[in-house]
Every structure is written in structure tokens, then in C-alpha cells.
CSV table of all heavy atoms in Angstrom, one decimal:
chain,number,residue,atom,x,y,z
A,1,SER,N,71.8,-81.5,53.6
A,1,SER,CA,70.3,-81.4,53.6
A,1,SER,C,69.7,-82.6,53.0
A,1,SER,O,68.6,-83.0,53.3
A,1,SER,CB,69.9,-80.1,52.8
A,1,SER,OG,70.3,-80.2,51.4
A,2,GLU,N,70.4,-83.3,52.1
A,2,GLU,CA,69.9,-84.6,51.5
A,2,GLU,C,69.7,-85.6,52.6
A,2,GLU,O,68.7,-86.3,52.5
A,2,GLU,CB,70.9,-85.1,50.4
A,2,GLU,CG,70.9,-84.2,49.2
A,2,GLU,CD,71.8,-83.0,49.3
A,2,GLU,OE1,72.7,-83.0,50.2
A,2,GLU,OE2,71.7,-82.1,48.5
A,3,ARG,N,70.6,-85.8,53.5
A,3,ARG,CA,70.5,-86.7,54.6
A,3,ARG,C,69.3,-86.4,55.4
A,3,ARG,O,68.5,-87.3,55.8
A,3,ARG,CB,71.7,-86.8,55.5
A,3,ARG,CG,71.7,-87.8,56.6
A,3,ARG,CD,72.8,-87.7,57.6
A,3,ARG,NE,72.9,-86.4,58.2
A,3,ARG,CZ,72.1,-86.0,59.2
A,3,ARG,NH1,71.2,-86.8,59.7
A,3,ARG,NH2,72.2,-84.8,59.8
A,4,ARG,N,69.1,-85.1,55.8
A,4,ARG,CA,68.0,-84.7,56.6
A,4,ARG,C,66.6,-84.9,55.8
A,4,ARG,O,65.7,-85.4,56.4
A,4,ARG,CB,68.1,-83.3,57.0
A,4,ARG,CG,69.2,-83.1,58.0
A,4,ARG,CD,69.3,-81.7,58.6
A,4,ARG,NE,69.5,-80.6,57.6
A,4,ARG,CZ,70.7,-80.3,57.1
A,4,ARG,NH1,71.8,-80.9,57.5
A,4,ARG,NH2,70.8,-79.3,56.2
A,5,ARG,N,66.6,-84.6,54.5
A,5,ARG,CA,65.4,-84.8,53.8
A,5,ARG,C,65.0,-86.3,53.7
A,5,ARG,O,63.8,-86.6,53.9
A,5,ARG,CB,65.5,-84.2,52.4
A,5,ARG,CG,64.2,-84.3,51.6
A,5,ARG,CD,64.2,-83.8,50.2
A,5,ARG,NE,64.6,-82.4,50.2
A,5,ARG,CZ,64.7,-81.7,49.1
A,5,ARG,NH1,64.5,-82.3,47.9
A,5,ARG,NH2,65.0,-80.4,49.1
A,6,ILE,N,66.0,-87.1,53.4
A,6,ILE,CA,65.7,-88.6,53.3
A,6,ILE,C,65.2,-89.1,54.7
A,6,ILE,O,64.2,-89.9,54.7
A,6,ILE,CB,66.9,-89.4,52.8
A,6,ILE,CG1,67.2,-89.1,51.4
A,6,ILE,CG2,66.7,-90.9,53.1
A,6,ILE,CD1,66.1,-89.6,50.4
A,7,ALA,N,65.7,-88.6,55.8
A,7,ALA,CA,65.3,-89.0,57.1
A,7,ALA,C,63.8,-88.6,57.3
A,7,ALA,O,63.0,-89.4,57.8
A,7,ALA,CB,66.2,-88.5,58.2
A,8,ARG,N,63.5,-87.3,56.9
A,8,ARG,CA,62.1,-86.9,57.0
A,8,ARG,C,61.2,-87.7,56.2
A,8,ARG,O,60.1,-88.1,56.6
A,8,ARG,CB,62.0,-85.4,56.6
A,8,ARG,CG,62.4,-84.4,57.7
A,8,ARG,CD,61.9,-83.0,57.3
A,8,ARG,NE,62.3,-82.6,55.9
A,8,ARG,CZ,63.4,-82.0,55.6
A,8,ARG,NH1,64.4,-81.8,56.4
A,8,ARG,NH2,63.6,-81.7,54.3
A,9,TRP,N,61.6,-87.9,54.9
A,9,TRP,CA,60.7,-88.7,54.0
A,9,TRP,C,60.5,-90.1,54.6
A,9,TRP,O,59.4,-90.7,54.4
A,9,TRP,CB,61.3,-88.8,52.6
A,9,TRP,CG,61.2,-87.5,51.8
A,9,TRP,CD1,60.6,-86.3,52.3
A,9,TRP,CD2,61.6,-87.3,50.5
A,9,TRP,NE1,60.6,-85.4,51.2
A,9,TRP,CE2,61.2,-86.0,50.2
A,9,TRP,CE3,62.2,-88.1,49.6
A,9,TRP,CZ2,61.4,-85.4,48.9
A,9,TRP,CZ3,62.5,-87.5,48.3
A,9,TRP,CH2,62.1,-86.2,48.0
A,10,GLN,N,61.6,-90.7,55.1
A,10,GLN,CA,61.4,-92.1,55.7
A,10,GLN,C,60.4,-92.1,56.8
A,10,GLN,O,59.5,-92.9,56.9
A,10,GLN,CB,62.8,-92.6,56.2
A,10,GLN,CG,63.7,-93.1,55.2
A,10,GLN,CD,65.0,-93.6,55.8
A,10,GLN,OE1,65.7,-92.8,56.5
A,10,GLN,NE2,65.4,-94.8,55.5
A,11,ARG,N,60.5,-91.1,57.7
A,11,ARG,CA,59.5,-91.1,58.8
A,11,ARG,C,58.1,-90.9,58.3
A,11,ARG,O,57.2,-91.5,58.8
A,11,ARG,CB,59.9,-89.9,59.8
A,11,ARG,CG,61.1,-90.2,60.7
A,11,ARG,CD,61.3,-89.2,61.7
A,11,ARG,NE,61.4,-87.8,61.2
A,11,ARG,CZ,62.6,-87.2,60.9
A,11,ARG,NH1,63.7,-87.9,61.0
A,11,ARG,NH2,62.6,-86.0,60.5
A,12,ALA,N,58.0,-90.0,57.3
A,12,ALA,CA,56.6,-89.7,56.8
A,12,ALA,C,56.1,-90.9,56.0
A,12,ALA,O,54.9,-91.2,56.1
A,12,ALA,CB,56.7,-88.5,55.9
A,13,ALA,N,56.9,-91.6,55.3
A,13,ALA,CA,56.5,-92.7,54.5
A,13,ALA,C,56.1,-93.9,55.4
A,13,ALA,O,55.0,-94.5,55.1
A,13,ALA,CB,57.6,-93.2,53.5
A,14,VAL,N,56.8,-94.1,56.4
A,14,VAL,CA,56.5,-95.2,57.4
A,14,VAL,C,55.2,-94.8,58.1
A,14,VAL,O,54.3,-95.7,58.3
A,14,VAL,CB,57.6,-95.4,58.4
A,14,VAL,CG1,57.2,-96.3,59.5
A,14,VAL,CG2,58.8,-96.1,57.6
A,15,ALA,N,55.0,-93.6,58.5
A,15,ALA,CA,53.8,-93.1,59.2
A,15,ALA,C,52.6,-93.3,58.2
A,15,ALA,O,51.5,-93.8,58.7
A,15,ALA,CB,53.9,-91.7,59.6
A,16,MET,N,52.8,-93.0,57.0
A,16,MET,CA,51.7,-93.1,56.0
A,16,MET,C,51.3,-94.6,55.8
A,16,MET,O,50.2,-95.0,55.8
A,16,MET,CB,52.0,-92.5,54.7
A,16,MET,CG,50.9,-92.5,53.6
A,16,MET,SD,49.5,-91.5,54.0
A,16,MET,CE,50.1,-89.8,53.7
A,17,ARG,N,52.4,-95.4,55.6
A,17,ARG,CA,52.2,-96.8,55.5
A,17,ARG,C,51.5,-97.5,56.7
A,17,ARG,O,50.6,-98.3,56.5
A,17,ARG,CB,53.6,-97.5,55.3
A,17,ARG,CG,53.5,-99.0,55.1
A,17,ARG,CD,54.8,-99.7,55.3
A,17,ARG,NE,55.2,-99.6,56.7
A,17,ARG,CZ,56.4,-99.7,57.1
A,17,ARG,NH1,57.4,-100.0,56.3
A,17,ARG,NH2,56.7,-99.6,58.4
A,18,ASP,N,51.8,-97.0,57.9
A,18,ASP,CA,51.3,-97.6,59.1
A,18,ASP,C,50.0,-97.0,59.5
A,18,ASP,O,49.6,-97.2,60.7
A,18,ASP,CB,52.4,-97.5,60.2
A,18,ASP,CG,53.6,-98.4,59.9
A,18,ASP,OD1,53.5,-99.2,59.0
A,18,ASP,OD2,54.6,-98.2,60.6
A,19,GLY,N,49.3,-96.3,58.7
A,19,GLY,CA,48.0,-95.9,59.0
A,19,GLY,C,47.6,-94.4,58.6
A,19,GLY,O,46.5,-94.1,58.7
A,20,GLY,N,48.6,-93.6,58.3
A,20,GLY,CA,48.4,-92.3,57.9
A,20,GLY,C,47.6,-92.1,56.7
A,20,GLY,O,47.0,-91.0,56.4
A,21,PHE,N,47.5,-93.2,55.8
A,21,PHE,CA,46.8,-93.1,54.6
A,21,PHE,C,45.3,-92.8,54.9
A,21,PHE,O,44.6,-92.3,54.0
A,21,PHE,CB,47.0,-94.3,53.7
A,21,PHE,CG,46.4,-95.6,54.3
A,21,PHE,CD1,45.1,-95.9,54.0
A,21,PHE,CD2,47.2,-96.4,55.1
A,21,PHE,CE1,44.6,-97.1,54.5
A,21,PHE,CE2,46.6,-97.5,55.6
A,21,PHE,CZ,45.3,-97.9,55.4
A,22,ASN,N,44.8,-93.2,56.1
A,22,ASN,CA,43.4,-92.9,56.4
A,22,ASN,C,43.2,-91.4,56.4
A,22,ASN,O,42.1,-91.0,56.0
A,22,ASN,CB,43.1,-93.5,57.8
A,22,ASN,CG,43.0,-95.0,57.8
A,22,ASN,OD1,42.6,-95.6,56.8
A,22,ASN,ND2,43.4,-95.6,58.9
A,23,ALA,N,44.1,-90.6,56.9
A,23,ALA,CA,43.9,-89.2,56.8
A,23,ALA,C,43.9,-88.7,55.4
A,23,ALA,O,43.1,-87.8,55.1
A,23,ALA,CB,45.1,-88.5,57.6
A,24,LEU,N,44.7,-89.3,54.5
A,24,LEU,CA,44.7,-88.9,53.1
A,24,LEU,C,43.3,-89.2,52.5
A,24,LEU,O,42.8,-88.4,51.7
A,24,LEU,CB,45.8,-89.7,52.4
A,24,LEU,CG,45.9,-89.4,50.9
A,24,LEU,CD1,46.3,-88.0,50.6
A,24,LEU,CD2,46.9,-90.4,50.2
């Protein structure tokens, strides 16, 4: 589950970095 969680966090972090912070 650690591998899957890190993969999810990576996708979410990159999405936030690449423009998702506007939604925040």
C-alpha cells in the first residue's frame, strides 16, 4: 500500500504544482 500511496501522492503533487493550486 506504501507504493500505491506514494504513486497517488506523486500524481497529486505534480498536478498541484502544475496548476492545481489555483483550485486551492
Side-chain angles (χ1 to χ4, degrees):
S1 63
E2 291 81 16
R3 181 189 59 79
R4 290 187 301 276
R5 184 182 298 179
I6 288 297
R8 276 194 314 272
W9 284 3
Q10 283 179 302
R11 287 189 302 271
V14 168
M16 184 67 75
R17 178 198 66 198
D18 293 346
F21 67 90
N22 286 328
L24 181 66

